[in-house]
Amino acid sequence: MNALKFFMIIFLLECLIYSCEESDSSQEFVPKPVVEGYLYEGTPVRNLKISELVKFDEVNDFGEKLISGLDIKIRIDHAEYPLYENPDHPGYYGTENDDLILQPAQNIEFSFLFNSTNVSASTRVPSKPLNLSISDAVKYISPIQSYWDLQQLAEISVQVRWTNDDHSYYYISVKNIETNPQTLDPEDLLPDLGNSFDIPPLATDFSNIFFNKIQYYGRYMVVVSKVNAEYTAIYQSQNQDSRTLTELASNIENGYGIFTALAADTVYFEIKEP
Amino acid sequence: MPGLNCSEEKLFCPKPDKTASKVTKNPFEPKFGGRTSSVVEITGKTGNEQQFNMGGEISSISANVFTEIPLNQKGSILFAARRSFTEIIKSQLYQDIFDMAGNEKPAAQGNLSGRRNSNQNAEPVFHFYDLNLKGTWKPSEKDVISVSFYAGKDKLDNTIDRQSTGRFMQGSGSYFNVNTTDLTQWGNWGVSAKWGRKLNARLYSNSVLSFSNFFSDRDRATTIFKSDSEQDQQNFGIIQNNNVDELSFRNDWEYELNTSHRLGFGVNILRNRISFNNEVNDSSAFQIDNEGIVSTAYAQDKWALSKKLKLIGGLRLTFFDQTEQFYLEPRIQALYQLTASLTIKGAWGTYNQFINRSVQEDIQNGSQEIWLLSDNKLIPVQNATHYILGVSYDVQNWLFDIEAYYKDMQGLSELNTRIGSRQNNPDGQQDIYANSFFEGTGYSKGIEFLIQRKIGKYTGWIGYTLSKVIHSFPDISEENFPALHDQTHELKLVNCYEWRRWSFAATFIYGAGKPYTAPEGGYYLNLPDGTRKYYITIGEKNASRLPDYNRLDLSATYNFKLGKAPASFGLSVFNVYNRSNIWYKDYTIDTQNEIFEAVDVTYLGVTPSLFFSVRLK
């Protein structure tokens, strides 16, 4: 009977101890900074945005936790400069001197301390696309009256070319630059395509801009940007869905986000009515 | 047998009087192989050869029947079947009863407001059945022939439907509906023919020809309907099938050389055919279908060196055609009886496993284990070396047992598309999978304590295990991490008490929380093309832990006779204090990264059940 009592006492004690509900022992959340830094050849360092990772359980609103008061240093080749926070936009940092223009082949590195951890990243300023040209400065297109016209439109294109001996990646952005552009779709057969679109980074020396994405007459600006590997990586990893939950690529040491440099050149074409 | 599973543990575990199943942990003798941790030997009870018998039990959540038919005193037929109907727990009638008793409505359906990231509970609905049929015939005094058939299937419905109102990135005053249909079924069936022959007083043989199949199918589809400035519907899902066929012939011999030596030897040839199909978003993403032959010979000796010292040792030699290699597995166990009550035991051995139990990481839908045939390319052969030392003290009605173990593991496998998709710039999903199989190593160590009272009105036992299972996959994580099944503490208290015609039972189970990989945080990022999206980051591999598991089950049984037939009725309550034990975490993330749904998928809550059973004999 003593044994029975012994077991029952232990049993009841265990029940009392463990019947209480408790939450998961999730890993300790360590706040990390998120860096958004796009540097453009021929311009100074502006708008390096630093925000803070939001804990997953608190991802309930759409606010950003921008980080103010950081002591950020930027190293251009071997010279170091401080970055200053924009007083009108807390969390955005840039060089004080607008004469500090980024040049091709410069190595750029930033670093700062966040919660006693050094956060850093580096990139290299690329050169502008060489020998950039466009096949047609003007294209004549009649207004779209039917679905047959739409099919014809999809086969029209202009080609942008450049020199790419080292198989670098180039990213293309096409935008209508008219203030009040006239539609080439008076019958409203097309969905709303907007006045701009992009072509993902490709390691080619040409790109065909097909007109099935174009909705307006007028002048178009084609910006061809030479991009670095870190930008290509982030572009290719940006889809998170049920297929496989992957993280966005990042080149930030001890943080998230991107720090990269681009160099762009521009060509133009125009679409007119015949 | 891969995937053998007892749904919700104690409630429906096979009863020993219907199916004699024996779980043999390491160290298992050279007679057994093909597994690195434990083997389940299901022999099946032989029916009564003298008298016809039948019986059954019905409760509010399950029913079972059995019959035993003698065959002219030279054999018997036994048939047993069980079926749970726990799906009625989610029926309206049952729910009404629960509501009257003050229980809250299950959280699998509900409304949320003003939240984009929601966290809720969902309790799956499941049911299962199994059938056992065994015919035994003794054509002579020296021969026994038996034919067995087993089939069992579990079905799990983890459908979740939620409607929420909230804000999206661009708008306000919008709502969304997330519907996830998640159906899983798994089970196995097998048929075997066995011929046992006693050639003389010292020599026995058993020959078994068998075929078994294990399957596990999952069909999960999520629809997200969003109504904002415009309406948007997203559909995505997975279909998975894992199928393991095994055709086996084994011939075992046992020879009692003298009182000190009992020799065992035999051969085993088996053919495995294993397929795994993983379709994602209606595209055939990955399919693997492998076949391999494992040929084995073994020899062992149970050797009593003295009255106090016994050794069980031997060798197992296997040829696996997929790797075209021989695998030698030496094993030895020693038992030394210090006193009449006190025994020291130790063991060492190596074990290989050709059907690899790979982990498939799935952060959103819960990681799981899949069975794949080692192929010397994507899937390695698993190998383990065991070291075991223990002591047991057996006195009067009590048994005290302590055992420490260490296991060194190679050839661990994980399918991880999260990491695999970073490995290259794939042109297609097949490439993602080809780069997503990772090989690792690991170890497990622990101490098991057992105190058991074996005889008397009060019987029961306390079992406690302190353990650690660590995996190392350098290509997945720079740091070693706990395995999915790592459970630091595990405690079981089983108490049975007989009082007059009553039997009372109380079981308490506690297990420390198991690890999982969780989303860690989120952030906005703008791309130069103007895209502004919210992105999720993933925490360290298996760095989060589910809450601890614990539950208490109680039952009271009154035994009586209906005429001459023994019968009983009673009440059992599963999970008495309605603990929400979390099985896994389910995360839904829409394709535009605007909706994050987190759901705690839980095990069965409090489940009272009245039961009645009767049998002829």
Side-chain angles (χ1 to χ4, degrees):
Chain A
M1 206 56 188
N2 284 338
L4 176 62
K5 284 178 184 170
F6 168 73
F7 272 101
M8 290 310 290
I9 288 167
I10 294 217
F11 182 72
L12 290 171
L13 278 173
E14 293 287 352
C15 292
L16 278 173
I17 291 167
Y18 293 118
S19 59
C20 305
E21 301 275 343
E22 83 269 32
S23 57
D24 337 15
S25 59
S26 296
Q27 61 184 311
E28 187 183 349
F29 178 76
V30 179
K32 285 183 180 174
V34 179
V35 178
E36 187 181 301
Y38 297 108
L39 314 181
Y40 295 92
E41 185 264 345
T43 66
V45 177
R46 293 195 195 105
N47 297 330
L48 184 73
K49 189 179 86 172
I50 316 284
S51 59
E52 190 176 322
L53 186 72
V54 177
K55 193 176 178 185
F56 184 77
D57 297 340
E58 296 165 6
V59 178
N60 289 326
D61 57 50
F62 297 91
E64 271 184 305
K65 286 185 183 176
L66 293 164
I67 304 174
S68 282
L70 291 171
D71 180 16
I72 305 176
K73 297 282 191 297
I74 195 157
R75 187 185 296 268
I76 302 175
D77 285 336
H78 297 292
E80 189 174 278
Y81 307 91
L83 292 188
Y84 296 92
E85 189 169 7
N86 185 332
D88 300 326
H89 295 95
Y92 288 79
Y93 299 82
T95 49
E96 188 176 41
N97 186 354
D98 273 358
D99 295 337
L100 201 62
I101 302 297
L102 297 177
Q103 304 296 328
Q106 283 180 329
N107 291 306
I108 318 287
E109 183 182 351
F110 79 84
S111 66
F112 62 87
L113 282 176
F114 182 76
N115 290 341
S116 306
T117 301
N118 188 56
V119 180
S120 64
S122 63
T123 188
R124 185 179 170 86
V125 181
S127 55
K128 287 182 177 177
L130 284 174
N131 305 318
L132 183 64
S133 64
I134 191 162
S135 60
D136 302 274
V138 180
K139 279 280 186 182
Y140 293 93
I141 298 174
S142 300
I144 300 166
Q145 303 292 342
S146 65
Y147 286 103
W148 171 253
D149 290 344
L150 275 180
Q151 282 187 2
Q152 299 298 308
L153 185 68
E155 291 173 9
I156 302 171
S157 66
V158 293
Q159 189 178 72
V160 185
R161 298 198 69 89
W162 58 89
T163 301
N164 186 11
D165 294 335
D166 57 357
H167 305 289
S168 297
Y169 278 83
Y170 290 82
Y171 164 78
I172 295 166
S173 177
V174 182
K175 186 177 182 182
N176 186 295
I177 53 174
E178 301 294 339
T179 312
N180 292 303
Q182 178 197 341
T183 181
L184 52 76
D185 178 28
E187 302 298 323
D188 214 15
L189 299 172
L190 284 167
D192 183 17
L193 299 173
N195 65 350
S196 66
F197 61 92
D198 298 279
I199 299 172
L202 291 170
T204 60
D205 60 0
F206 74 97
S207 182
N208 292 317
I209 299 167
F210 287 97
F211 281 23
N212 56 348
K213 291 182 178 175
I214 282 177
Q215 201 165 9
Y216 298 104
Y217 288 107
R219 287 174 299 155
Y220 281 81
M221 178 173 73
V222 180
V223 181
V224 179
S225 302
K226 187 174 182 179
V227 296
N228 290 327
E230 61 268 9
Y231 180 81
T232 307
I234 209 168
Y235 207 95
Q236 290 176 342
S237 65
Q238 65 174 322
N239 286 323
Q240 293 182 311
D241 59 40
S242 68
R243 185 172 62 86
T244 171
L245 185 59
T246 54
E247 287 181 287
L248 194 67
S250 174
N251 67 329
I252 311 298
E253 200 70 36
N254 297 319
Y256 296 100
I258 185 168
F259 181 71
T260 191
L262 306 89
D265 204 351
T266 308
V267 289
Y268 299 86
F269 68 92
E270 187 172 4
I271 301 176
K272 291 181 175 178
E273 245 185 289
Chain B
M1 189 175 288
L4 188 74
N5 199 352
C6 296
S7 306
E8 289 292 340
E9 299 186 34
K10 293 297 288 183
L11 255 189
F12 307 113
C13 284
K15 290 186 176 180
D17 63 340
K18 303 294 188 300
T19 306
S21 62
K22 182 185 176 188
V23 178
T24 307
K25 292 192 304 176
N26 282 106
F28 46 85
E29 54 199 65
K31 179 181 177 182
F32 299 110
R35 300 291 181 272
T36 57
S37 50
S38 61
V39 293
V40 180
E41 185 184 11
I42 301 176
T43 53
K45 182 193 172 187
T46 301
N48 192 324
E49 294 174 9
Q50 307 299 323
Q51 291 181 304
F52 174 79
N53 194 12
M54 65 180 294
E57 178 178 301
I58 186 159
S59 76
S60 48
I61 54 173
S62 70
N64 68 68
V65 292
F66 77 95
T67 184
E68 295 168 283
I69 305 167
L71 298 174
N72 202 22
Q73 298 196 334
K74 283 201 164 186
S76 65
I77 292 174
L78 179 138
F79 172 75
R82 296 180 298 167
R83 206 290 193 190
S84 78
F85 25 86
T86 40
E87 65 268 33
I88 69 160
I89 286 171
K90 287 289 175 77
S91 73
Q92 193 55 49
L93 171 65
Y94 200 94
Q95 201 54 59
D96 290 345
I97 295 168
F98 261 53
D99 291 345
M100 285 168 63
N103 284 277
E104 292 178 1
K105 189 178 178 182
Q109 295 179 328
N111 292 304
L112 295 171
S113 62
R115 302 189 70 186
R116 179 176 62 155
N117 181 342
S118 67
N119 201 319
Q120 301 181 74
N121 288 337
E123 187 179 291
V125 183
F126 73 94
H127 68 89
F128 98 106
Y129 76 87
D130 69 3
L131 301 168
N132 278 290
L133 179 65
K134 183 173 182 181
T136 308
W137 181 250
K138 293 178 179 170
S140 72
E141 286 293 313
K142 293 183 175 180
D143 298 283
V144 180
I145 296 170
S146 62
V147 179
S148 305
F149 173 78
Y150 169 83
K153 183 192 274 188
D154 288 67
K155 282 189 173 181
L156 184 74
D157 183 353
N158 187 22
T159 296
I160 302 167
D161 191 5
R162 291 179 304 283
Q163 191 177 80
S164 306
T165 56
R167 237 166 17 96
F168 301 136
M169 193 179 297
Q170 308 294 341
S172 61
S174 48
Y175 77 93
F176 60 89
N177 179 286
V178 179
N179 174 267
T180 300
T181 304
D182 192 354
L183 303 172
T184 307
Q185 58 178 1
W186 67 95
N188 36 54
W189 68 272
V191 59
S192 69
K194 181 178 178 182
W195 174 33
R197 181 168 175 80
K198 185 177 179 181
L199 281 92
N200 57 49
R202 291 182 171 179
L203 187 61
Y204 315 88
S205 84
N206 273 313
S207 301
V208 183
L209 179 65
S210 65
F211 177 83
S212 70
N213 167 265
F214 162 77
F215 64 92
S216 175
D217 303 324
R218 188 174 193 185
D219 186 349
R220 178 188 165 99
T222 297
T223 300
I224 297 179
F225 180 80
K226 293 195 294 187
S227 179
D228 193 4
S229 54
E230 56 188 51
Q231 294 183 341
D232 177 33
Q233 180 167 313
Q234 299 169 15
N235 300 295
F236 42 85
I238 54 170
I239 296 175
Q240 283 183 343
N241 311 101
N242 192 193
N243 200 71
V244 181
D245 286 345
E246 184 173 294
L247 177 65
S248 165
F249 172 75
R250 64 179 302 141
N251 181 223
D252 299 308
W253 293 81
E254 202 166 294
Y255 180 60
E256 284 188 37
L257 185 65
N258 52 44
T259 52
S260 298
H261 290 277
R262 177 177 284 192
L263 303 175
F265 48 91
V267 293
N268 180 204
I269 298 172
L270 58 89
R271 189 207 68 188
N272 283 120
R273 185 169 184 178
I274 301 181
S275 63
F276 175 65
N277 181 46
N278 196 69
E279 292 180 28
V280 183
N281 298 343
D282 294 331
S283 62
S284 184
F286 181 68
Q287 188 166 15
I288 190 167
D289 193 345
N290 287 331
E291 188 174 314
I293 294 174
V294 181
S295 309
T296 302
Y298 72 90
Q300 63 181 47
D301 186 14
K302 294 179 181 176
W303 183 15
L305 276 85
S306 68
K307 284 186 177 179
K308 292 190 171 183
L309 181 61
K310 290 176 184 171
L311 293 177
I312 303 171
L315 289 170
R316 186 177 174 88
L317 182 65
T318 300
F319 179 77
F320 182 45
D321 71 337
Q322 293 299 294
T323 56
E324 296 182 331
Q325 284 183 25
F326 283 96
Y327 298 84
L328 185 65
E329 298 164 290
R331 299 171 195 171
I332 189 162
Q333 297 177 52
L335 294 168
Y336 186 74
Q337 202 166 0
L338 273 175
T339 70
S341 305
L342 194 62
T343 304
I344 296 174
K345 53 193 175 181
W348 171 85
T350 60
Y351 302 81
N352 289 297
Q353 184 162 327
F354 306 97
I355 303 176
N356 200 311
R357 193 169 73 166
S358 303
V359 170
Q360 184 186 19
E361 186 193 80
D362 190 336
I363 292 171
Q364 291 179 263
N365 310 320
S367 296
Q368 59 181 345
E369 285 167 337
I370 53 175
W371 295 92
L372 299 168
L373 189 67
S374 301
D375 60 1
N376 215 18
K377 289 177 283 191
L378 293 178
I379 319 295
V381 173
Q382 271 182 270
N383 170 269
T385 305
H386 293 246
Y387 308 87
I388 295 166
L389 190 63
V391 59
S392 65
Y393 184 64
D394 196 341
V395 58
Q396 292 183 327
N397 300 333
W398 293 87
L399 171 68
F400 300 86
D401 190 88
I402 301 174
E403 190 173 288
Y405 64 88
Y406 181 86
K407 183 163 73 168
D408 195 13
M409 300 174 283
Q410 280 86 39
L412 301 175
S413 173
E414 176 161 334
L415 173 58
N416 191 318
T417 53
R418 176 172 65 96
I419 306 297
S421 60
R422 295 182 197 162
Q423 302 294 311
N424 63 353
N425 181 16
D427 295 326
Q429 292 181 350
Q430 188 78 22
D431 290 332
I432 292 177
Y433 284 90
N435 285 285
S436 296
F437 282 95
F438 298 93
E439 185 174 342
T441 59
Y443 68 86
S444 69
K445 60 182 180 181
I447 302 179
E448 296 176 347
F449 300 88
L450 176 71
I451 303 173
Q452 183 179 16
R453 183 175 165 85
K454 299 183 286 186
I455 304 167
K457 284 192 169 182
Y458 172 80
T459 55
W461 47 272
I462 298 174
Y464 170 73
T465 305
L466 174 68
S467 67
K468 180 184 271 191
V469 188
I470 298 296
H471 283 179
S472 173
F473 284 78
D475 293 332
I476 292 177
S477 169
E478 291 178 359
E479 305 291 331
N480 293 348
F481 54 86
L484 270 187
H485 56 284
D486 176 58
Q487 195 165 37
T488 311
H489 307 284
E490 189 178 4
L491 175 71
K492 287 190 180 180
L493 289 89
V494 178
N495 302 267
C496 303
Y497 187 66
E498 304 284 340
W499 181 70
R500 296 182 180 170
R501 290 187 166 191
W502 287 91
S503 300
F504 300 97
T507 302
F508 177 76
I509 296 173
Y510 166 80
K514 291 182 179 174
Y516 67 103
T517 308
E520 180 188 40
Y523 63 90
Y524 276 115
L525 197 74
N526 295 296
L527 295 180
D529 64 1
T531 308
R532 175 177 164 82
K533 279 175 79 172
Y534 207 83
Y535 295 97
I536 295 298
T537 64
I538 312 298
E540 296 296 321
K541 177 79 176 170
N542 288 356
S544 294
R545 293 260 175 188
L546 294 172
D548 295 346
Y549 180 102
N550 65 77
R551 70 165 209 263
L552 171 66
D553 306 333
L554 297 174
S555 73
T557 307
Y558 182 73
N559 300 294
F560 63 102
K561 290 213 167 179
L562 271 176
K564 289 184 178 178
S568 62
F569 76 85
L571 170 70
S572 71
V573 185
F574 178 90
N575 195 356
V576 171
Y577 46 79
N578 197 23
R579 160 92 178 177
S580 288
N581 287 305
I582 297 177
W583 179 12
Y584 66 90
K585 311 270 283 188
D586 183 296
Y587 300 97
T588 298
I589 299 174
D590 74 321
T591 52
Q592 272 130 38
N593 291 11
E594 290 188 329
I595 295 170
F596 308 112
E597 291 275 334
V599 175
D600 292 338
V601 181
T602 62
Y603 289 107
L604 200 60
V606 58
T607 310
S609 170
L610 286 167
F611 60 87
F612 169 75
S613 72
V614 64
R615 54 198 300 163
L616 289 179
K617 303 285 185 307

